[in-house]
Amino acid sequence: QVQVVESGGGLVQPGGSLRLSCLVSGSIFNFYDVAWYRQAPGKERELVAGLATDGKTKYADSVQGRFTISRDNAASALHLQMNSLKPDDTAVYYCNARMSGHSQAYWGHGTQVTVSS
């Protein structure tokens, strides 16, 4: 059974930074495409950043240049470094893992990020 657990959320002032982490257990992490999504109140869940097994990355236009996605295969971990945070970045952030070439995706329960002064 694949388990996905996020951590690292919290309250931060505008302009500040946070680093989210996600641990994926129960399978071979190296085989998974991974991504961060977020969902703000009253809005649909959206892709923030994705990182495929071949190293290709994809970012939402709204976070390009501010957020960096990375993975540590040895630790089965995914990270999201978020800099220059804005109030519009406030949302619940979810980690997603999907075995490359497969449709089955696994989600964590999310971690709250609040950007406010």
Side-chain angles (χ1 to χ4, degrees):
Q1 181 73 14
V2 177
Q3 292 187 321
V4 178
V5 180
E6 304 97 337
S7 62
L11 173 64
V12 63
Q13 292 187 342
S17 298
L18 277 178
R19 185 173 188 248
L20 304 183
S21 295
C22 171
L23 293 181
V24 180
S25 61
S27 188
I28 302 174
F29 182 69
N30 303 40
F31 294 163
Y32 283 77
D33 297 326
V34 289
W36 289 96
Y37 287 75
R38 67 185 181 188
Q39 187 166 18
K43 295 186 177 181
E44 294 187 353
R45 192 173 296 189
E46 63 174 356
L47 175 69
V48 176
L51 176 56
T53 54
D54 62 4
K56 291 182 179 178
T57 58
K58 180 178 181 179
Y59 292 94
D61 289 343
S62 59
V63 308
Q64 183 76 45
R66 299 188 297 122
F67 291 10
T68 303
I69 189 170
S70 63
R71 66 192 296 162
D72 180 347
N73 287 338
S76 298
L78 172 68
H79 304 289
L80 185 68
Q81 178 66 42
M82 305 186 295
N83 299 328
S84 303
L85 282 161
K86 306 175 180 179
D88 284 349
D89 295 319
T90 296
V92 178
Y93 284 70
Y94 297 91
C95 179
N96 172 279
R98 180 180 59 82
M99 185 173 285
S100 187
H102 292 251
S103 59
Q104 174 75 53
Y106 300 91
W107 294 89
H109 290 126
T111 184
Q112 176 71 48
V113 172
T114 303
V115 184
S116 175
S117 56

